Amino acid sequence: FSNYTIVSENRCVSLEEEIPMDIAALLGCAVPTGAGIVFNTVKPDKGASIAVFGVGGIGLSAILGAKVRQCSRIVAIDIEEEKLKMAREFGATDVINCTMEDPVKRIHDITEGQGVDYSIEAAGRAEVIESAFQSIKYGGGLCVIAGHPSHEERIKLDPFDLIRGKKIEGSWGGGCQPDKDISMYVKYYKNGKFPLERMISQVYPLEKINQALSEFKNGNAHRILIRMDHAKEI
């Protein structure tokens, strides 16, 4: 929340003037991480299947990326019906509320017992990482972790799953290469493939930042923006 910031030049990207600052804010974190995992790490072929666990800003960005890559099955998993509704609007072919059903079982039902080719964990919980790993197929399935569980949390995996060809790895910001990636996301935004403006669920003035943080912690938001210019909240 600084007025001035010193930024390393390899983290600074020039944007076209017509790109709104609200959209530019999303291009600094959520989009490069979620979409970047798809474009830079997973790199799915057309027709691949993918499950996204946690559909906040990062998860929704991953769904947009999977749609651009023409994945045949895009499964969104979350605990909030409103987020799942938006995930479907963004391109998810299937949605699972994991408070109502076992996501791993449902994913295996959807894929006729095979599991998905890829899964992305964007919820930041150890048990969700475990479910994301269990949902991928043997013989090459890849689970990518984007979330950050609390430091005391640990995940439990069956080593035999690794022997049978399942893979798991983490991602640091979607492997973003700012000069290349940001311009690509801007192009997708301008041609309508990345409707990023719909990701912004609330805008608060700085004096209501505590309320904004409460909304975020309660899971009632996709992306919340804080305005420094005392603009009217929406």
Side-chain angles (χ1 to χ4, degrees):
F1 308 112
S2 57
N3 294 101
Y4 301 95
T5 304
I6 297 173
V7 181
S8 175
E9 63 179 319
N10 67 354
R11 298 288 97 183
C12 187
V13 178
S14 176
L15 289 179
E16 301 168 34
E17 289 186 5
E18 64 266 27
I19 301 302
M21 285 296 99
D22 289 356
I23 301 302
L26 300 179
L27 294 171
C29 183
V31 176
T33 300
I37 288 174
V38 175
F39 289 116
N40 299 323
T41 305
V42 171
K43 301 176 182 177
D45 292 328
K46 179 180 179 181
S49 57
I50 187 167
V52 181
F53 287 74
V55 286
I58 292 173
L60 288 174
S61 299
I63 288 171
L64 290 175
K67 185 177 180 182
V68 169
R69 296 284 299 202
Q70 296 181 282
C71 291
S72 61
R73 216 70 191 250
I74 304 172
V75 186
I77 303 95
D78 206 284
I79 61 174
E80 299 288 341
E81 283 295 330
E82 203 55 40
K83 290 184 177 180
L84 292 172
K85 178 183 177 182
M86 181 159 292
R88 191 177 285 281
E89 292 172 358
F90 272 41
T93 58
D94 304 88
V95 297
I96 302 172
N97 187 323
C98 54
T99 65
M100 300 179 182
E101 57 184 326
D102 181 349
V104 177
K105 181 180 183 304
R106 174 75 184 284
I107 287 170
H108 279 84
D109 289 343
I110 290 171
T111 58
E112 300 180 344
Q114 296 299 305
V116 289
D117 297 308
Y118 307 100
S119 68
I120 296 173
E121 186 281 326
R125 300 183 64 87
E127 62 266 34
V128 180
I129 294 174
E130 293 167 3
S131 294
F133 181 72
Q134 292 164 9
S135 72
I136 57 175
K137 68 180 184 181
Y138 291 113
L142 173 63
C143 171
V144 181
I145 305 168
H148 296 274
S150 299
H151 71 278
E152 72 274 6
E153 292 191 45
R154 297 292 183 270
I155 60 173
K156 296 179 181 179
L157 306 178
D158 184 345
F160 194 55
D161 285 343
L162 299 171
I163 292 171
R164 294 186 64 185
K166 289 189 177 186
K167 296 178 285 186
I168 184 169
E169 63 180 86
S171 173
W172 186 259
C176 180
Q177 302 173 52
D179 288 339
K180 175 180 72 70
D181 293 355
I182 300 299
S183 61
M184 176 176 66
Y185 303 143
V186 167
K187 181 188 73 173
Y188 288 143
Y189 166 71
K190 292 176 68 176
N191 67 20
K193 292 183 178 179
F194 273 28
L196 301 179
E197 70 283 350
R198 293 167 57 194
M199 231 185 253
I200 302 171
S201 53
Q202 292 107 321
V203 179
Y204 286 99
L206 182 59
E207 56 266 27
K208 292 190 177 182
I209 188 171
N210 289 336
Q211 182 180 340
L213 289 171
S214 294
E215 291 288 327
F216 180 75
K217 290 178 181 178
N218 292 335
N220 297 326
H222 301 292
R223 287 287 102 174
I224 297 177
L225 294 185
I226 305 297
R227 287 196 181 277
M228 305 297 181
D229 56 5
H230 302 285
K232 185 179 179 181
E233 65 184 279
I234 62 173

